[in-house]
Amino acid sequence: MQHAIQGRHDGAAAHPTEQLDPDTGTPAPAPESAPLAVTARALALHGSRGLVFGPLDLDVRPGALVVVQAPQGGGRSSLLLTLAGRMVPDKTSSLTVLGEPLPGRRNAVQRRAAIAGFHGIDELDESVTVAETVRERLAWLSPWYRRVPRVDQRTFARLATPVFGDRPLPRVDSLVWDLDEVDAMLLRVTLAMAQQPELLVVDDVDQVHDSVRRQLVWTRLEALTQHGTTVIASVASLDEVTRMRWNSRPEQITLATGPRALHAD
């Protein structure tokens, strides 16, 4: 069985000083810890050709960055879509996301979890402008009766700056075709974050092929967790976490199903 226990650190655990109740002088009850963003036991998915992923035991703390490592065909996209409430795991699985049991509360999870980077799901139309792309997303998220005005550079900056950080923003009149790999990926993340999700899952980060430039994407995904968003992102290379720089080393899930995983060049 594959395991990923989140929030575990090297070294001895810290033991805080016992707090006493000021009225009784007896030990005060410990404060309740925040519920986990994801809890899974024996999480698995089988398809017509056999095992897709699993079984997995997962405990993901809120605000964590988790890196899922698996080769193409190793089940990583299906795992992320399952965690985001878009796919249904085996009936023998136990899965709770953002406090919602799945698959029973799929609609609730889908409202609170956003996706980016998925082939055939959130791909960008390269023939339209950045402004048109963003406006379409905002219209999708708005009530049907609310008119969404055109997106100018200021509106785009309000949405995109938390994702892009200090990186210069694309011009809203730029065609998506003209964006480089980093900006295209960060735009997809921006569109996902417009939903204001508590959980963001990002597939195939190595769509940004150059590892130096991919570092920019990982840095920005890590920055999103500083504001409380839980981020689970996938990559093909087994040594991705060791090759990148992090403020805090992310947790890792390595899927053993599918073709043999390879180290990055």
Side-chain angles (χ1 to χ4, degrees):
M1 179 176 290
Q2 302 164 15
H3 299 269
I5 305 300
Q6 311 307 330
R8 179 174 293 173
H9 302 278
D10 294 334
H15 297 281
T17 303
E18 188 177 66
Q19 299 295 315
L20 300 180
D21 187 300
D23 297 323
T24 65
T26 58
E32 294 185 6
S33 58
L36 292 170
V38 176
T39 303
R41 296 294 179 266
L43 178 63
L45 176 65
H46 285 78
S48 59
R49 297 186 178 182
L51 181 66
V52 179
F53 67 78
L56 290 164
D57 290 344
L58 305 175
D59 291 302
V60 179
R61 58 183 174 79
L65 173 62
V66 181
V67 178
V68 177
Q69 298 167 307
Q72 295 289 346
R76 54 195 171 121
S77 300
S78 296
L79 172 60
L80 295 187
L81 290 172
T82 300
L83 297 179
R86 271 71 171 182
M87 293 185 72
V88 177
D90 293 351
K91 292 182 179 180
T92 54
S93 302
S94 173
L95 176 60
T96 300
V97 176
L98 303 175
E100 307 282 2
L102 289 174
R105 294 280 294 170
R106 287 179 65 194
N107 289 342
V109 171
Q110 289 173 15
R111 288 192 295 269
R112 300 168 63 189
I115 65 175
F118 287 85
H119 176 71
I121 299 179
D122 73 309
E123 288 178 304
L124 302 174
D125 184 344
E126 295 182 338
S127 66
V128 302
T129 65
V130 170
E132 291 167 329
T133 300
V134 174
R135 186 173 185 270
E136 180 181 19
R137 176 61 174 166
L138 295 180
W140 177 262
L141 294 172
S142 299
W144 63 268
Y145 53 81
R146 182 174 298 167
R147 178 183 175 275
V148 177
R150 71 180 184 87
V151 174
D152 57 19
Q153 197 68 34
R154 180 177 298 180
T155 301
F156 179 56
R158 206 160 47 237
L159 287 170
T161 297
V163 175
F164 280 74
D166 294 335
R167 183 175 176 82
L169 298 178
R171 300 296 304 173
V172 293
D173 57 357
S174 300
L175 289 176
V176 170
W177 171 270
D178 293 325
L179 301 182
D180 70 8
E181 290 179 326
V182 173
D183 288 339
M185 176 61 85
L186 292 181
L187 177 58
R188 293 169 81 171
V189 173
T190 297
L191 299 177
M193 290 301 295
Q195 184 179 327
Q196 299 182 331
E198 298 165 61
L199 170 65
L200 171 69
V201 298
V202 183
D203 196 27
D204 198 13
V205 175
D206 34 20
Q207 292 176 65
V208 179
H209 296 91
D210 177 72
S211 60
V212 173
R213 294 171 60 72
R214 197 162 61 249
Q215 174 72 69
L216 299 171
V217 177
W218 285 120
T219 297
R220 295 316 306 158
L221 292 178
E222 187 177 20
L224 294 177
T225 67
Q226 302 306 308
H227 302 284
T229 304
T230 305
V231 178
I232 304 177
S234 77
V235 69
S237 62
L238 283 176
D239 53 353
E240 185 79 354
V241 171
T242 59
R243 297 171 74 237
M244 296 292 147
R245 300 185 308 276
W246 312 94
N247 288 325
S248 180
R249 188 182 177 92
E251 299 292 339
Q252 300 173 64
I253 301 171
T254 300
L255 300 183
T257 50
R260 179 181 175 87
L262 299 175
H263 293 279
D265 293 332

